[in-house]
Amino acid sequence: MVNRGRISLRKDRRNMANTDCFNGLTFTFNNASSDLYGLYMGWRSASEEWSTGLDREIVKAEMNMVRHIPNQYGVKYQDVLSLEFDIFHQDGSAFTQQESRSINNWLMHDTYKRFKVHDNNTDNVYYKVICTSIQDITLGTFRGKHIVMETDAPFGYSNDVRRIVDATESGDISFSLNNTSDDGVYYPYLTVVCDENYEDVIELINLTDDKTMLLEITNVPIVDGKKVVNIDTQKFMLTDGNNNLLPLYKIGWQINSDSDKAIQSSELYWFRLLKGRNDLEIKGNGKVIFTMSFPRKAGQLGEE
């Protein structure tokens, strides 16, 4: 079984009675600050070594008697990150039963939530996490909890970047977006909004990628006077203005059908941004909202 990449908040805590070991670090989880619970973060280890969680393995064929150099098909991450830290009152006092219940209920969710440490770094990196373990601990005279959080990826994310491009009047507009992802190609979240009477197509063109995403808007359901298509290009998923799943044929993508417009699923183009600057065009009367949160291979969590 592969060991998970692990990031530990490190600090010399040989003298747990010294409250400076906390360094004043707090965190935000699911839009609520640890300040609300009077919590500070602590560290388990004084080690100078830590893992960034970016362990990868080469995807390759096997060697045999005649093939001494195996074919290589790329690389993949071994696993997602596991974040571990301790939480305490600043004076190290024990949690009351009610405090313990409140903290446990705050941290325990079944879906990924945003987690961000308030440190001195300026990158504004956050993680999407699920808390997988909470253990009550005693360290000297200090009483606290040991927390383990598993992320959704081997990296963190930048703060959301939102760009609204309105071609409602002109029907044709050129612009550029910069993909600052640390992980190469990036698939943004798109929202396409058209007037309810619009019966034409919207073309999303990436000139840098030399590819076009074509959306037929005619059959898209009308919600509050608008035709809305939400496109999660990372999950290959479409929803309408009510967040109901939208079948591909509703935007004119005929998959493996007898239609003269039929295309193979392997030929589908889900809009993406190449690394760096992307020159783009929108053709058709509509508004497109780009929501991006770029991967950040941030290394150690909570570094001073």
Side-chain angles (χ1 to χ4, degrees), residues 196-256:
E196 63 180 334
N197 298 317
Y198 190 68
E199 299 290 338
D200 208 338
V201 299
I202 296 289
E203 294 182 63
L204 305 179
I205 305 169
N206 189 330
L207 299 173
T208 305
D209 200 13
D210 194 24
K211 295 187 183 298
T212 299
M213 188 177 191
L214 189 69
L215 310 175
E216 293 185 4
I217 303 299
T218 304
N219 296 317
V220 173
I222 299 172
V223 178
D224 296 329
K226 300 291 183 181
K227 294 180 178 180
V228 177
V229 182
N230 300 304
I231 308 170
D232 191 329
T233 60
Q234 188 173 55
K235 296 180 179 178
F236 307 138
M237 185 172 68
L238 306 175
T239 56
D240 62 20
N242 284 324
N243 287 322
N244 295 320
L245 286 175
L246 195 63
L248 296 182
Y249 73 85
K250 288 285 189 179
I251 61 168
W253 292 6
Q254 303 291 339
I255 308 299
N256 302 326

Short mmCIF file of all heavy atoms in Angstrom, two decimals, residues 196-256:
data_model
loop_
_atom_site.label_atom_id
_atom_site.label_comp_id
_atom_site.label_asym_id
_atom_site.label_seq_id
_atom_site.Cartn_x
_atom_site.Cartn_y
_atom_site.Cartn_z
N GLU A 196 -33.29 34.47 -23.17
CA GLU A 196 -34.21 33.35 -23.40
C GLU A 196 -34.62 33.20 -24.86
O GLU A 196 -35.02 32.11 -25.29
CB GLU A 196 -35.47 33.54 -22.54
CG GLU A 196 -36.28 34.78 -22.86
CD GLU A 196 -37.51 34.90 -21.99
OE1 GLU A 196 -38.00 33.85 -21.50
OE2 GLU A 196 -37.99 36.03 -21.78
N ASN A 197 -34.51 34.26 -25.67
CA ASN A 197 -34.90 34.20 -27.07
C ASN A 197 -33.74 33.84 -28.00
O ASN A 197 -33.93 33.74 -29.21
CB ASN A 197 -35.50 35.54 -27.52
CG ASN A 197 -36.76 35.88 -26.75
OD1 ASN A 197 -37.62 35.02 -26.53
ND2 ASN A 197 -36.88 37.14 -26.31
N TYR A 198 -32.56 33.61 -27.42
CA TYR A 198 -31.40 33.32 -28.26
C TYR A 198 -31.50 31.89 -28.79
O TYR A 198 -31.66 30.94 -28.04
CB TYR A 198 -30.11 33.48 -27.45
CG TYR A 198 -28.86 33.44 -28.30
CD1 TYR A 198 -28.57 34.45 -29.20
CD2 TYR A 198 -27.97 32.37 -28.20
CE1 TYR A 198 -27.42 34.41 -29.97
CE2 TYR A 198 -26.82 32.32 -28.97
CZ TYR A 198 -26.56 33.35 -29.85
OH TYR A 198 -25.42 33.31 -30.63
N GLU A 199 -31.42 31.76 -30.13
CA GLU A 199 -31.61 30.46 -30.78
C GLU A 199 -30.41 30.06 -31.61
O GLU A 199 -30.53 29.28 -32.55
CB GLU A 199 -32.86 30.51 -31.68
CG GLU A 199 -34.16 30.81 -30.95
CD GLU A 199 -34.62 29.64 -30.08
OE1 GLU A 199 -34.19 28.50 -30.35
OE2 GLU A 199 -35.38 29.87 -29.12
N ASP A 200 -29.25 30.53 -31.28
CA ASP A 200 -28.07 30.28 -32.11
C ASP A 200 -27.02 29.51 -31.29
O ASP A 200 -27.36 28.85 -30.32
CB ASP A 200 -27.51 31.61 -32.62
CG ASP A 200 -26.77 31.47 -33.94
OD1 ASP A 200 -26.34 30.35 -34.24
OD2 ASP A 200 -26.63 32.47 -34.65
N VAL A 201 -25.78 29.62 -31.70
CA VAL A 201 -24.71 28.90 -31.03
C VAL A 201 -23.76 29.88 -30.32
O VAL A 201 -23.72 31.06 -30.64
CB VAL A 201 -23.89 28.04 -32.02
CG1 VAL A 201 -24.79 27.00 -32.68
CG2 VAL A 201 -23.21 28.91 -33.05
N ILE A 202 -23.04 29.35 -29.35
CA ILE A 202 -21.95 30.07 -28.70
C ILE A 202 -20.67 29.29 -28.99
O ILE A 202 -20.61 28.08 -28.77
CB ILE A 202 -22.16 30.17 -27.17
CG1 ILE A 202 -23.40 31.01 -26.84
CG2 ILE A 202 -20.92 30.77 -26.50
CD1 ILE A 202 -23.24 32.49 -27.12
N GLU A 203 -19.67 29.98 -29.48
CA GLU A 203 -18.38 29.36 -29.74
C GLU A 203 -17.35 29.88 -28.74
O GLU A 203 -17.15 31.09 -28.62
CB GLU A 203 -17.90 29.67 -31.16
CG GLU A 203 -18.75 29.06 -32.26
CD GLU A 203 -18.18 29.37 -33.63
OE1 GLU A 203 -17.05 28.94 -33.93
OE2 GLU A 203 -18.88 30.08 -34.41
N LEU A 204 -16.73 28.96 -28.03
CA LEU A 204 -15.63 29.29 -27.13
C LEU A 204 -14.35 28.81 -27.79
O LEU A 204 -14.11 27.60 -27.92
CB LEU A 204 -15.82 28.61 -25.77
CG LEU A 204 -17.15 28.86 -25.05
CD1 LEU A 204 -17.19 28.09 -23.75
CD2 LEU A 204 -17.36 30.34 -24.81
N ILE A 205 -13.54 29.75 -28.23
CA ILE A 205 -12.38 29.43 -29.06
C ILE A 205 -11.10 29.73 -28.29
O ILE A 205 -10.90 30.84 -27.79
CB ILE A 205 -12.39 30.25 -30.37
CG1 ILE A 205 -13.71 30.04 -31.11
CG2 ILE A 205 -11.21 29.86 -31.26
CD1 ILE A 205 -13.92 31.01 -32.26
N ASN A 206 -10.24 28.73 -28.18
CA ASN A 206 -8.91 28.94 -27.61
C ASN A 206 -7.92 28.94 -28.78
O ASN A 206 -7.57 27.88 -29.30
CB ASN A 206 -8.55 27.85 -26.59
CG ASN A 206 -7.28 28.16 -25.83
OD1 ASN A 206 -6.38 28.82 -26.35
ND2 ASN A 206 -7.20 27.70 -24.59
N LEU A 207 -7.49 30.12 -29.18
CA LEU A 207 -6.57 30.24 -30.31
C LEU A 207 -5.22 29.62 -29.99
O LEU A 207 -4.56 29.05 -30.87
CB LEU A 207 -6.40 31.71 -30.68
CG LEU A 207 -7.68 32.44 -31.11
CD1 LEU A 207 -7.41 33.93 -31.28
CD2 LEU A 207 -8.23 31.85 -32.40
N THR A 208 -4.81 29.70 -28.73
CA THR A 208 -3.53 29.13 -28.33
C THR A 208 -3.55 27.61 -28.41
O THR A 208 -2.58 26.97 -28.82
CB THR A 208 -3.18 29.57 -26.90
OG1 THR A 208 -3.19 31.00 -26.83
CG2 THR A 208 -1.81 29.07 -26.47
N ASP A 209 -4.68 27.02 -28.04
CA ASP A 209 -4.86 25.57 -28.09
C ASP A 209 -5.32 25.10 -29.46
O ASP A 209 -5.35 23.89 -29.74
CB ASP A 209 -5.87 25.14 -27.02
CG ASP A 209 -5.78 23.66 -26.65
OD1 ASP A 209 -4.79 23.01 -27.03
OD2 ASP A 209 -6.71 23.15 -25.99
N ASP A 210 -5.75 26.07 -30.31
CA ASP A 210 -6.27 25.79 -31.65
C ASP A 210 -7.46 24.83 -31.60
O ASP A 210 -7.58 23.90 -32.39
CB ASP A 210 -5.17 25.20 -32.54
CG ASP A 210 -5.55 25.21 -34.03
OD1 ASP A 210 -6.41 26.04 -34.40
OD2 ASP A 210 -5.01 24.39 -34.80
N LYS A 211 -8.37 25.10 -30.65
CA LYS A 211 -9.56 24.26 -30.51
C LYS A 211 -10.77 25.12 -30.16
O LYS A 211 -10.63 26.21 -29.61
CB LYS A 211 -9.35 23.18 -29.44
CG LYS A 211 -8.27 22.16 -29.80
CD LYS A 211 -8.21 21.03 -28.80
CE LYS A 211 -7.08 20.06 -29.12
NZ LYS A 211 -7.26 19.41 -30.42
N THR A 212 -11.97 24.58 -30.48
CA THR A 212 -13.22 25.31 -30.27
C THR A 212 -14.23 24.42 -29.56
O THR A 212 -14.41 23.25 -29.91
CB THR A 212 -13.81 25.78 -31.61
OG1 THR A 212 -12.90 26.66 -32.25
CG2 THR A 212 -15.14 26.50 -31.38
N MET A 213 -14.91 25.00 -28.57
CA MET A 213 -16.03 24.33 -27.90
C MET A 213 -17.31 25.00 -28.41
O MET A 213 -17.53 26.19 -28.20
CB MET A 213 -15.91 24.47 -26.39
CG MET A 213 -16.91 23.65 -25.60
SD MET A 213 -16.62 23.80 -23.80
CE MET A 213 -17.70 22.52 -23.18
N LEU A 214 -18.16 24.23 -29.08
CA LEU A 214 -19.37 24.75 -29.71
C LEU A 214 -20.60 24.34 -28.91
O LEU A 214 -20.81 23.16 -28.63
CB LEU A 214 -19.47 24.22 -31.14
CG LEU A 214 -20.57 24.82 -32.03
CD1 LEU A 214 -20.25 26.27 -32.36
CD2 LEU A 214 -20.70 24.00 -33.32
N LEU A 215 -21.42 25.33 -28.53
CA LEU A 215 -22.63 25.07 -27.75
C LEU A 215 -23.85 25.56 -28.51
O LEU A 215 -23.96 26.74 -28.83
CB LEU A 215 -22.56 25.79 -26.40
CG LEU A 215 -21.30 25.61 -25.55
CD1 LEU A 215 -21.38 26.50 -24.31
CD2 LEU A 215 -21.11 24.17 -25.15
N GLU A 216 -24.79 24.67 -28.79
CA GLU A 216 -26.07 25.06 -29.36
C GLU A 216 -27.01 25.37 -28.21
O GLU A 216 -27.27 24.54 -27.35
CB GLU A 216 -26.63 23.95 -30.24
CG GLU A 216 -25.82 23.70 -31.50
CD GLU A 216 -26.47 22.67 -32.42
OE1 GLU A 216 -27.60 22.22 -32.08
OE2 GLU A 216 -25.87 22.31 -33.44
N ILE A 217 -27.53 26.58 -28.19
CA ILE A 217 -28.29 27.07 -27.04
C ILE A 217 -29.79 26.85 -27.19
O ILE A 217 -30.54 26.94 -26.21
CB ILE A 217 -27.98 28.57 -26.83
CG1 ILE A 217 -26.48 28.78 -26.65
CG2 ILE A 217 -28.71 29.13 -25.63
CD1 ILE A 217 -25.88 28.06 -25.47
N THR A 218 -30.27 26.51 -28.38
CA THR A 218 -31.70 26.45 -28.67
C THR A 218 -32.49 25.64 -27.65
O THR A 218 -33.55 26.08 -27.17
CB THR A 218 -31.94 25.86 -30.07
OG1 THR A 218 -31.21 26.63 -31.03
CG2 THR A 218 -33.41 25.88 -30.42
N ASN A 219 -32.02 24.46 -27.28
CA ASN A 219 -32.80 23.55 -26.43
C ASN A 219 -32.44 23.62 -24.95
O ASN A 219 -32.88 22.78 -24.16
CB ASN A 219 -32.60 22.11 -26.92
CG ASN A 219 -33.16 21.90 -28.32
OD1 ASN A 219 -34.25 22.38 -28.64
ND2 ASN A 219 -32.41 21.20 -29.16
N VAL A 220 -31.66 24.61 -24.57
CA VAL A 220 -31.31 24.76 -23.16
C VAL A 220 -32.52 25.31 -22.39
O VAL A 220 -33.17 26.26 -22.84
CB VAL A 220 -30.11 25.72 -23.00
CG1 VAL A 220 -29.85 26.03 -21.52
CG2 VAL A 220 -28.86 25.11 -23.65
N PRO A 221 -32.89 24.72 -21.25
CA PRO A 221 -34.05 25.19 -20.48
C PRO A 221 -33.92 26.65 -20.07
O PRO A 221 -32.83 27.13 -19.77
CB PRO A 221 -34.05 24.27 -19.26
CG PRO A 221 -33.30 23.06 -19.67
CD PRO A 221 -32.26 23.54 -20.64
N ILE A 222 -35.05 27.35 -20.04
CA ILE A 222 -35.09 28.75 -19.63
C ILE A 222 -35.35 28.82 -18.13
O ILE A 222 -36.30 28.23 -17.62
CB ILE A 222 -36.19 29.52 -20.39
CG1 ILE A 222 -35.89 29.49 -21.90
CG2 ILE A 222 -36.29 30.96 -19.90
CD1 ILE A 222 -37.03 30.06 -22.74
N VAL A 223 -34.51 29.56 -17.42
CA VAL A 223 -34.65 29.74 -15.98
C VAL A 223 -34.57 31.24 -15.69
O VAL A 223 -33.56 31.88 -15.99
CB VAL A 223 -33.55 28.99 -15.20
CG1 VAL A 223 -33.69 29.26 -13.70
CG2 VAL A 223 -33.60 27.50 -15.50
N ASP A 224 -35.66 31.80 -15.15
CA ASP A 224 -35.72 33.22 -14.82
C ASP A 224 -35.34 34.10 -16.02
O ASP A 224 -34.59 35.07 -15.89
CB ASP A 224 -34.80 33.53 -13.64
CG ASP A 224 -35.23 32.84 -12.35
OD1 ASP A 224 -36.45 32.63 -12.20
OD2 ASP A 224 -34.36 32.52 -11.53
N GLY A 225 -35.86 33.73 -17.17
CA GLY A 225 -35.66 34.54 -18.37
C GLY A 225 -34.30 34.39 -19.03
O GLY A 225 -33.97 35.14 -19.95
N LYS A 226 -33.50 33.42 -18.59
CA LYS A 226 -32.17 33.21 -19.16
C LYS A 226 -31.96 31.73 -19.48
O LYS A 226 -32.54 30.85 -18.86
CB LYS A 226 -31.08 33.67 -18.18
CG LYS A 226 -31.14 35.14 -17.80
CD LYS A 226 -30.78 36.03 -18.97
CE LYS A 226 -30.77 37.50 -18.56
NZ LYS A 226 -30.45 38.41 -19.70
N LYS A 227 -31.12 31.50 -20.48
CA LYS A 227 -30.63 30.15 -20.76
C LYS A 227 -29.22 30.06 -20.18
O LYS A 227 -28.34 30.82 -20.58
CB LYS A 227 -30.62 29.87 -22.25
CG LYS A 227 -32.00 29.83 -22.90
CD LYS A 227 -31.91 29.56 -24.39
CE LYS A 227 -33.31 29.47 -25.00
NZ LYS A 227 -33.25 29.21 -26.47
N VAL A 228 -29.04 29.13 -19.25
CA VAL A 228 -27.77 29.03 -18.53
C VAL A 228 -27.21 27.62 -18.69
O VAL A 228 -27.92 26.62 -18.51
CB VAL A 228 -27.96 29.34 -17.02
CG1 VAL A 228 -26.64 29.15 -16.28
CG2 VAL A 228 -28.49 30.75 -16.84
N VAL A 229 -25.92 27.56 -19.03
CA VAL A 229 -25.20 26.29 -19.09
C VAL A 229 -23.98 26.39 -18.19
O VAL A 229 -23.10 27.23 -18.42
CB VAL A 229 -24.76 25.94 -20.53
CG1 VAL A 229 -24.05 24.58 -20.54
CG2 VAL A 229 -25.94 25.94 -21.49
N ASN A 230 -23.96 25.59 -17.13
CA ASN A 230 -22.79 25.49 -16.27
C ASN A 230 -21.93 24.33 -16.75
O ASN A 230 -22.42 23.21 -16.91
CB ASN A 230 -23.19 25.26 -14.81
CG ASN A 230 -24.05 26.38 -14.27
OD1 ASN A 230 -23.66 27.55 -14.30
ND2 ASN A 230 -25.24 26.06 -13.78
N ILE A 231 -20.65 24.59 -16.99
CA ILE A 231 -19.77 23.58 -17.57
C ILE A 231 -18.62 23.32 -16.62
O ILE A 231 -17.73 24.16 -16.44
CB ILE A 231 -19.22 24.05 -18.93
CG1 ILE A 231 -20.37 24.50 -19.85
CG2 ILE A 231 -18.41 22.93 -19.59
CD1 ILE A 231 -19.88 25.20 -21.11
N ASP A 232 -18.64 22.15 -15.99
CA ASP A 232 -17.51 21.73 -15.14
C ASP A 232 -16.58 20.92 -16.04
O ASP A 232 -16.76 19.72 -16.23
CB ASP A 232 -18.01 20.89 -13.97
CG ASP A 232 -16.92 20.64 -12.93
OD1 ASP A 232 -15.74 20.57 -13.34
OD2 ASP A 232 -17.25 20.51 -11.74
N THR A 233 -15.60 21.61 -16.62
CA THR A 233 -14.75 20.95 -17.62
C THR A 233 -13.83 19.90 -16.98
O THR A 233 -13.36 18.99 -17.67
CB THR A 233 -13.89 21.99 -18.37
OG1 THR A 233 -13.06 22.70 -17.45
CG2 THR A 233 -14.78 22.97 -19.10
N GLN A 234 -13.58 20.02 -15.68
CA GLN A 234 -12.73 19.04 -15.02
C GLN A 234 -13.46 17.73 -14.79
O GLN A 234 -12.89 16.64 -14.93
CB GLN A 234 -12.22 19.59 -13.70
CG GLN A 234 -11.17 18.73 -13.03
CD GLN A 234 -10.56 19.39 -11.81
OE1 GLN A 234 -11.29 19.79 -10.89
NE2 GLN A 234 -9.26 19.51 -11.78
N LYS A 235 -14.75 17.83 -14.47
CA LYS A 235 -15.55 16.63 -14.21
C LYS A 235 -16.36 16.20 -15.43
O LYS A 235 -17.11 15.22 -15.36
CB LYS A 235 -16.51 16.89 -13.04
CG LYS A 235 -15.81 17.15 -11.72
CD LYS A 235 -16.81 17.40 -10.61
CE LYS A 235 -16.11 17.65 -9.28
NZ LYS A 235 -17.08 17.94 -8.18
N PHE A 236 -16.22 16.95 -16.56
CA PHE A 236 -16.98 16.63 -17.78
C PHE A 236 -18.48 16.58 -17.48
O PHE A 236 -19.17 15.61 -17.81
CB PHE A 236 -16.53 15.29 -18.39
CG PHE A 236 -15.04 15.20 -18.63
CD1 PHE A 236 -14.35 14.04 -18.33
CD2 PHE A 236 -14.34 16.28 -19.14
CE1 PHE A 236 -12.98 13.95 -18.54
CE2 PHE A 236 -12.96 16.19 -19.36
CZ PHE A 236 -12.29 15.04 -19.06
N MET A 237 -18.99 17.66 -16.89
CA MET A 237 -20.39 17.66 -16.44
C MET A 237 -21.05 18.98 -16.81
O MET A 237 -20.46 20.05 -16.69
CB MET A 237 -20.45 17.44 -14.93
CG MET A 237 -21.86 17.30 -14.37
SD MET A 237 -21.84 16.79 -12.62
CE MET A 237 -21.16 18.25 -11.85
N LEU A 238 -22.30 18.89 -17.26
CA LEU A 238 -23.11 20.06 -17.60
C LEU A 238 -24.33 20.14 -16.69
O LEU A 238 -24.96 19.12 -16.39
CB LEU A 238 -23.59 19.99 -19.05
CG LEU A 238 -22.55 19.79 -20.17
CD1 LEU A 238 -23.26 19.61 -21.51
CD2 LEU A 238 -21.60 20.97 -20.22
N THR A 239 -24.68 21.35 -16.26
CA THR A 239 -25.93 21.57 -15.54
C THR A 239 -26.60 22.83 -16.06
O THR A 239 -25.96 23.68 -16.67
CB THR A 239 -25.68 21.73 -14.01
OG1 THR A 239 -24.74 22.79 -13.79
CG2 THR A 239 -25.15 20.44 -13.41
N ASP A 240 -27.92 22.93 -15.83
CA ASP A 240 -28.66 24.10 -16.29
C ASP A 240 -28.75 25.14 -15.17
O ASP A 240 -28.08 25.03 -14.14
CB ASP A 240 -30.04 23.70 -16.79
CG ASP A 240 -30.92 23.06 -15.72
OD1 ASP A 240 -30.64 23.25 -14.51
OD2 ASP A 240 -31.89 22.37 -16.07
N GLY A 241 -29.60 26.14 -15.37
CA GLY A 241 -29.73 27.23 -14.41
C GLY A 241 -30.28 26.80 -13.08
O GLY A 241 -30.16 27.53 -12.08
N ASN A 242 -30.91 25.61 -13.02
CA ASN A 242 -31.40 25.06 -11.75
C ASN A 242 -30.46 24.03 -11.17
O ASN A 242 -30.82 23.29 -10.25
CB ASN A 242 -32.78 24.44 -11.95
CG ASN A 242 -33.88 25.49 -12.06
OD1 ASN A 242 -33.82 26.52 -11.39
ND2 ASN A 242 -34.87 25.24 -12.90
N ASN A 243 -29.26 23.93 -11.75
CA ASN A 243 -28.25 22.95 -11.34
C ASN A 243 -28.70 21.51 -11.56
O ASN A 243 -28.20 20.59 -10.89
CB ASN A 243 -27.84 23.16 -9.87
CG ASN A 243 -26.97 24.39 -9.69
OD1 ASN A 243 -26.13 24.70 -10.53
ND2 ASN A 243 -27.18 25.10 -8.60
N ASN A 244 -29.63 21.31 -12.49
CA ASN A 244 -29.99 19.97 -12.91
C ASN A 244 -29.05 19.51 -14.02
O ASN A 244 -28.62 20.33 -14.85
CB ASN A 244 -31.44 19.94 -13.42
CG ASN A 244 -32.44 20.26 -12.33
OD1 ASN A 244 -32.30 19.82 -11.20
ND2 ASN A 244 -33.46 21.04 -12.66
N LEU A 245 -28.75 18.22 -14.04
CA LEU A 245 -27.88 17.70 -15.08
C LEU A 245 -28.46 17.98 -16.46
O LEU A 245 -29.67 17.84 -16.68
CB LEU A 245 -27.66 16.20 -14.89
CG LEU A 245 -26.75 15.78 -13.73
CD1 LEU A 245 -26.73 14.26 -13.60
CD2 LEU A 245 -25.33 16.30 -13.94
N LEU A 246 -27.59 18.38 -17.37
CA LEU A 246 -28.00 18.74 -18.72
C LEU A 246 -27.43 17.71 -19.70
O LEU A 246 -26.20 17.58 -19.80
CB LEU A 246 -27.48 20.14 -19.06
CG LEU A 246 -28.06 20.87 -20.26
CD1 LEU A 246 -29.56 21.13 -20.06
CD2 LEU A 246 -27.33 22.18 -20.49
N PRO A 247 -28.30 16.95 -20.38
CA PRO A 247 -27.79 15.96 -21.34
C PRO A 247 -26.98 16.64 -22.45
O PRO A 247 -27.26 17.77 -22.84
CB PRO A 247 -29.07 15.34 -21.91
CG PRO A 247 -30.13 15.64 -20.90
CD PRO A 247 -29.76 16.96 -20.30
N LEU A 248 -25.99 15.94 -22.97
CA LEU A 248 -25.12 16.52 -23.99
C LEU A 248 -25.88 16.94 -25.24
O LEU A 248 -25.54 17.94 -25.88
CB LEU A 248 -24.02 15.52 -24.36
CG LEU A 248 -23.02 15.15 -23.26
CD1 LEU A 248 -21.96 14.19 -23.80
CD2 LEU A 248 -22.35 16.38 -22.67
N TYR A 249 -26.94 16.19 -25.60
CA TYR A 249 -27.66 16.53 -26.82
C TYR A 249 -28.36 17.89 -26.71
O TYR A 249 -28.69 18.52 -27.73
CB TYR A 249 -28.67 15.43 -27.18
CG TYR A 249 -29.89 15.35 -26.31
CD1 TYR A 249 -31.02 16.16 -26.56
CD2 TYR A 249 -29.95 14.47 -25.24
CE1 TYR A 249 -32.14 16.09 -25.76
CE2 TYR A 249 -31.07 14.39 -24.43
CZ TYR A 249 -32.16 15.20 -24.70
OH TYR A 249 -33.28 15.13 -23.91
N LYS A 250 -28.59 18.37 -25.46
CA LYS A 250 -29.23 19.66 -25.28
C LYS A 250 -28.37 20.82 -25.77
O LYS A 250 -28.87 21.91 -26.04
CB LYS A 250 -29.57 19.87 -23.79
CG LYS A 250 -30.71 19.02 -23.27
CD LYS A 250 -32.05 19.53 -23.74
CE LYS A 250 -33.19 18.81 -23.04
NZ LYS A 250 -34.52 19.33 -23.47
N ILE A 251 -27.07 20.59 -25.86
CA ILE A 251 -26.18 21.63 -26.40
C ILE A 251 -25.65 21.23 -27.78
O ILE A 251 -24.66 21.78 -28.26
CB ILE A 251 -25.02 21.95 -25.45
CG1 ILE A 251 -24.15 20.71 -25.20
CG2 ILE A 251 -25.53 22.53 -24.14
CD1 ILE A 251 -22.84 21.03 -24.52
N GLY A 252 -26.32 20.23 -28.39
CA GLY A 252 -25.98 19.86 -29.76
C GLY A 252 -24.87 18.84 -29.91
O GLY A 252 -24.39 18.60 -31.02
N TRP A 253 -24.48 18.22 -28.80
CA TRP A 253 -23.44 17.19 -28.89
C TRP A 253 -24.10 15.83 -29.07
O TRP A 253 -24.59 15.23 -28.13
CB TRP A 253 -22.58 17.18 -27.63
CG TRP A 253 -21.74 18.43 -27.47
CD1 TRP A 253 -21.76 19.54 -28.25
CD2 TRP A 253 -20.77 18.67 -26.45
NE1 TRP A 253 -20.86 20.47 -27.78
CE2 TRP A 253 -20.23 19.96 -26.68
CE3 TRP A 253 -20.29 17.94 -25.38
CZ2 TRP A 253 -19.25 20.52 -25.87
CZ3 TRP A 253 -19.31 18.49 -24.57
CH2 TRP A 253 -18.80 19.76 -24.81
N GLN A 254 -24.16 15.38 -30.30
CA GLN A 254 -24.76 14.09 -30.63
C GLN A 254 -23.67 13.02 -30.58
O GLN A 254 -22.80 12.96 -31.44
CB GLN A 254 -25.39 14.14 -32.02
CG GLN A 254 -26.43 15.22 -32.21
CD GLN A 254 -27.70 14.96 -31.42
OE1 GLN A 254 -27.97 13.82 -31.03
NE2 GLN A 254 -28.49 16.00 -31.19
N ILE A 255 -23.71 12.18 -29.55
CA ILE A 255 -22.66 11.19 -29.34
C ILE A 255 -23.07 9.85 -29.93
O ILE A 255 -24.10 9.28 -29.56
CB ILE A 255 -22.35 11.03 -27.84
CG1 ILE A 255 -22.08 12.40 -27.21
CG2 ILE A 255 -21.16 10.09 -27.64
CD1 ILE A 255 -20.90 13.12 -27.81
N ASN A 256 -22.25 9.37 -30.85
CA ASN A 256 -22.44 8.02 -31.42
C ASN A 256 -23.87 7.80 -31.93
O ASN A 256 -24.43 6.72 -31.78
CB ASN A 256 -22.09 6.94 -30.38
CG ASN A 256 -20.66 7.06 -29.89
OD1 ASN A 256 -19.78 7.45 -30.63
ND2 ASN A 256 -20.44 6.73 -28.62
#
